[in-house]
Amino acid sequence: MLEKISEWDQALFLWLNQYHSDFLDPVMYFLTQTYPWIPLYIFLIFLVAKAHGKQGWWVILGVLLAVMLADQITSALMKPFFERLRPCHEVLLNGMIHNYGKCGGMYGFASSHAANSFAIATAMYFGLSFKFPAIKWLFLWAVFFSYTRIYLGVHYPGDVAVGGLVGVVSGITGYHLFQYIYHFVKTKWKIEKIKTD
């Protein structure tokens, strides 16, 4: 069964990866990096501050925890455990794929790019959707950011899909864990204040 899924994943990758152009190659390579999105991250921090005021740093900590979880689960646990070669390292696919830029590490399951971007989108959705419903469109950014990995030939769709799932779970976990800590600390501080008054 796993072999069949792997075959379908490879076939879908080859179909998606074939759609590229000389014009888009450097654009996609640029947009798959972290630094072009720094203005977006700054804007998200601004929205958090606007929605939560001084308590906004708890949301930021939740997002950071979500990204850390997503990155460590995919990079430190899944990739060395599953040892699934990236398509650009797969000898059988030589000459069949479009790989622009660096191939990256040897293993690609699951995609850290997808995990991290979906972790940010999920945690931000929980933290901001009550005030800014349009934040749901951040998931489109996560989808695009993840797709660049297929376009560049460094990840299979399965790597991206599972990475995205890890990101969503990490986003939910990171955000709600820090919200729990925040409410626990806030409640305890109120109790201690009452005792000392």
Side-chain angles (χ1 to χ4, degrees):
M1 183 63 180
L2 285 176
E3 249 181 64
K4 201 67 181 169
I5 292 172
S6 183
E7 285 176 19
W8 291 339
D9 194 24
Q10 193 175 93
L12 180 58
F13 165 77
L14 290 171
W15 181 72
L16 290 170
N17 180 252
Q18 70 178 320
Y19 295 104
H20 60 87
S21 72
D22 293 339
F23 168 75
L24 278 178
D25 286 352
V27 175
M28 295 297 263
Y29 185 70
F30 174 72
L31 293 177
T32 202
Q33 312 297 323
T34 301
Y35 59 87
W37 302 105
I38 289 174
L40 172 65
Y41 303 146
I42 293 171
F43 179 64
L44 290 173
I45 291 170
F46 166 74
L47 291 182
V48 169
K50 197 169 180 182
H52 295 275
K54 292 179 181 179
Q55 283 72 44
W57 65 282
W58 284 95
V59 176
I60 301 300
L61 286 175
V63 174
L64 291 175
L65 176 62
V67 172
M68 187 186 76
L69 283 172
D71 192 66
Q72 288 303 301
I73 290 170
T74 52
S75 295
L77 294 177
M78 297 181 75
K79 285 174 183 173
F81 179 80
F82 291 103
E83 296 186 341
R84 187 189 193 192
L85 292 175
R86 293 176 185 266
C88 48
H89 284 307
E90 181 56 70
V91 178
L92 295 174
L93 296 181
N94 277 353
M96 298 172 65
I97 70 170
H98 175 68
N99 173 228
Y100 182 86
K102 295 179 181 179
C103 187
M106 189 62 67
Y107 306 121
F109 184 81
S111 168
S112 298
H113 272 68
N116 295 344
S117 58
F118 273 92
I120 292 170
T122 303
M124 284 294 180
Y125 175 79
F126 278 105
L128 295 174
S129 59
F130 76 97
K131 181 82 172 178
F132 306 106
I135 199 68
K136 62 181 179 242
W137 295 107
L138 195 59
F139 284 101
L140 275 184
W141 163 75
V143 169
F144 170 77
F145 192 60
S146 302
Y147 168 72
T148 63
R149 312 308 288 162
I150 299 170
Y151 180 97
L152 296 168
V154 296
H155 278 297
Y156 292 105
D159 301 341
V160 167
V162 174
L165 182 61
V166 169
V168 168
V169 173
S170 298
I172 293 169
T173 304
Y175 177 79
H176 286 294
L177 180 60
F178 260 99
Q179 287 306 296
Y180 173 79
I181 294 170
Y182 167 68
H183 290 299
F184 176 78
V185 171
K186 190 177 177 183
T187 304
K188 190 169 184 181
W189 183 78
K190 277 183 179 177
I191 292 171
E192 291 298 325
K193 192 178 178 184
I194 290 168
K195 284 181 180 177
T196 55
D197 284 347

